[in-house]
Amino acid sequence: MDKQKPFRKFKYLMVGNILRELKDEDDLMLTRVTFYRLEKSIPFPPPHRTVGKWRTYTREEADTVKRLIKENYNL
């Protein structure tokens, strides 16, 4: 039987992690496109970029981003 490998753990969070946490915590479903639009209109902390240009956030920055999104949607 083929078992799925567990997801890799990173010391930083990416956009997908933030969107998943918003869905799990507040039942707020956002797409990446919506996240990127919000990123332009709300003063998010600037993301760190990996070599592959992925947006990454520390835990504190991710919590700030989630708080700002919730405030934008009046949650």
Side-chain angles (χ1 to χ4, degrees):
M1 203 187 284
D2 191 23
K3 286 189 173 182
Q4 273 189 330
K5 293 181 181 179
F7 288 110
R8 292 179 8 183
K9 300 283 184 183
F10 296 102
K11 62 182 177 182
Y12 50 83
L13 299 167
M14 294 190 283
V15 173
N17 300 102
I18 294 172
L19 295 176
R20 194 173 310 113
E21 288 179 8
L22 284 169
K23 179 184 175 198
D24 292 344
E25 293 170 7
D26 299 302
D27 221 21
L28 180 60
M29 297 267 309
L30 295 177
T31 63
R32 286 181 185 271
V33 173
T34 303
F35 182 89
Y36 299 146
R37 281 191 197 132
L38 289 172
E39 188 177 48
K40 291 178 183 176
S41 64
I42 300 174
F44 287 167
H48 308 280
R49 297 289 182 144
T50 64
V51 175
K53 304 295 183 203
W54 292 90
R55 291 171 171 86
T56 61
Y57 298 91
T58 63
R59 168 49 57 195
E60 294 79 22
E61 292 168 340
D63 290 340
T64 302
V65 168
K66 290 184 339 186
R67 181 182 51 78
L68 291 170
I69 290 173
K70 290 175 190 178
E71 288 174 3
N72 185 62
Y73 285 100
N74 294 323
L75 296 177

